[in-house]
């Protein structure tokens, strides 16, 4: 049985009105999302819509020659598969798990029904879609104008915003695929960061040791996207004591925030 607090580890699910979220508990299915797992291929209608909690999913645009580049990523702040209930049914993008973890999924036809029947769901998802589009546009500009080193830092920062800690479960091959560059380019850039003490990289794992150092080496694009997510998206998150509202990073700060329970809060008012 899915508990209310479990589902609310996804920011969109947490922001649903309580009656709607409780109704969704019977529709959601918990899933393990493995590194490199393909959730949907281009031009295919997805069978499920995914709400990651600890996993991160990459949206890749695939060219006719097989080349690909990441246009956006989705983690605990969002939903994967918006094409299925926005009227398009399919998309030219491939969705691939870029950092292993967990999440929930709901059958596509059920998500369509919820999107049409519930004004709160529709309003929430449309605001999220606007934030996602900002990420896509900024990524396109970044890929055109910034170096591989800067783009890698931007990508790592976006990932950190969607994780509880500082460890990313990914590979150089997958990062190269996301950035649309050769693996050797990613390896050189990672070695620079490791030599500077910013990260520690092991096979399949990268740990960020100095976030500020990563921010200093990144371009402006991470900050632009983060501001738009913070502006548009509600910050209601699950805590051991229930739910809390607050600002900060897309997801990561929410996991680290000390939250008073209702009794302690009431005592201070």
């Amino acid at each position: 049985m899915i508990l209310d607090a479990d589902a609310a580890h996804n920011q969109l699910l947490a922001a649903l009105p309580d009656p709607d979220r409780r109704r969704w508990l019977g529709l959601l299915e918990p899933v393990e999302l493995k590194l490199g797992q393909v959730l949907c291929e281009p031009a295919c209608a997805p069978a499920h819509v995914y709400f990651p909690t600890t996993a991160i999913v990459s949206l890749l645009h695939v060219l006719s020659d097989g080349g690909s580049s990441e246009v956006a990523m989705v983690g605990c702040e969002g939903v994967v598969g918006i094409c299925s209930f926005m009227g398009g049914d399919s998309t030219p993008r491939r969705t691939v798990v870029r950092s292993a973890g967990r999440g929930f999924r709901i059958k596509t036809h059920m998500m369509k029904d919820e999107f049409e029947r519930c004004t709160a769901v529709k309003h929430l998802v449309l605001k999220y879609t606007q934030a996602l589009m900002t990420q896509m546009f900024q990524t396109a500009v970044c890929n055109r104008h910034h170096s591989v080193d800067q783009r890698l830092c931007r990508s790592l920062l976006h990932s950190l915003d969607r994780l509880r800690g500082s460890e990313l479960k990914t590979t150089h091959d997958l990062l190269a695929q996301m950035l649309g560059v050769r693996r050797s380019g990613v390896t050189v850039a990672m070695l620079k960061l490791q030599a500077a003490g910013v990260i520690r990289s092991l096979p399949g794992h990268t740990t960020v040791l100095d976030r500020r150092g990563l921010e200093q080496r990144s371009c402006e694009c991470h900050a632009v996207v983060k501001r738009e997510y913070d502006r548009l998206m509600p910050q209601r998150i699950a805590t051991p004591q229930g739910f809390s509202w607050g600002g900060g990073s897309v997801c990561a700060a929410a996991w680290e925030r000390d939250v008073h329970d209702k009794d302690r809060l009431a005592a201070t008012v």
Side-chain angles (χ1 to χ4, degrees):
M1 178 181 178
I2 299 174
L3 300 178
D4 198 3
D6 293 335
H9 287 156
N10 176 278
Q11 193 175 351
L12 284 182
L13 296 178
L16 289 173
D18 291 340
D20 295 308
R21 191 177 58 257
R22 285 193 292 267
R23 184 178 68 254
W24 278 41
L25 296 182
L27 307 178
L28 294 168
E29 175 189 356
V31 289
E32 290 284 339
L33 299 173
K34 299 178 181 179
L35 181 64
Q37 179 182 349
V38 177
L39 303 182
C40 188
E41 289 285 6
C44 295
H48 295 88
V49 173
Y50 291 83
F51 294 86
T53 54
T54 60
I56 301 177
V57 177
S58 178
L59 311 184
L60 294 170
H61 196 85
V62 182
L63 301 176
S64 58
D65 63 1
S68 64
S69 183
E70 182 180 69
V71 295
M73 69 176 72
V74 180
C76 59
E77 86 293 350
V79 57
V80 179
I82 59 174
C83 65
S84 61
F85 53 89
M86 296 290 282
D89 292 330
S90 65
T91 173
R93 293 183 295 273
R94 174 182 293 145
T95 55
V96 180
V97 178
R98 64 171 290 162
S99 184
R102 296 180 298 279
F104 296 93
R105 69 182 186 182
I106 182 174
K107 291 181 179 178
T108 297
H109 70 88
M110 293 180 180
M111 184 64 193
K112 286 181 179 178
D113 292 343
E114 291 294 324
F115 185 75
E116 293 299 328
R117 71 179 286 185
C118 182
T119 302
V121 171
K122 182 177 293 187
H123 181 68
L124 182 64
V125 172
L126 288 176
K127 289 181 71 175
Y128 168 73
T129 302
Q130 181 178 338
L132 184 66
M133 289 174 64
T134 297
Q135 186 188 166
M136 290 179 174
F137 298 153
Q138 198 68 35
T139 299
V141 172
C142 187
N143 288 344
R144 173 65 180 84
H145 292 283
H146 297 142
S147 68
V148 173
D149 290 17
Q150 290 174 310
R151 289 156 57 193
L152 175 63
C153 291
R154 182 259 302 164
S155 180
L156 293 176
L157 285 167
H158 280 324
S159 296
L160 279 184
D161 287 343
R162 291 158 173 82
L163 294 172
R164 291 193 241 183
S166 58
E167 182 180 343
L168 285 67
K169 299 177 183 178
T170 190
T171 65
H172 288 198
D173 283 333
L174 200 54
L175 285 171
Q177 183 182 0
M178 305 306 161
L179 296 176
V181 299
R182 294 181 178 179
R183 185 188 186 282
S184 58
V186 168
T187 299
V188 170
M190 295 285 275
L191 288 174
K192 290 180 184 177
L193 292 175
Q194 185 157 269
V198 176
I199 66 169
R200 181 174 62 248
S201 184
L202 298 171
H205 297 269
T206 296
T207 303
V208 176
L209 306 175
D210 180 7
R211 180 181 175 114
R212 184 173 294 275
L214 203 59
E215 291 172 342
Q216 292 171 346
R217 289 167 173 79
S218 178
C219 51
E220 70 214 54
C221 297
H222 166 259
V224 170
V225 173
K226 180 181 178 299
R227 282 196 300 269
E228 189 69 353
Y229 272 91
D230 288 346
R231 182 180 74 87
L232 290 169
M233 299 305 298
Q235 299 293 322
R236 192 185 195 204
I237 49 90
T239 73
Q241 291 79 24
F243 293 102
S244 175
W245 291 93
S249 178
V250 175
C251 288
W255 291 98
E256 299 171 357
R257 189 180 298 120
D258 282 331
V259 181
H260 299 286
D261 61 27
K262 292 181 180 179
D263 292 336
R264 292 180 62 187
L265 180 62
T268 62
V269 175

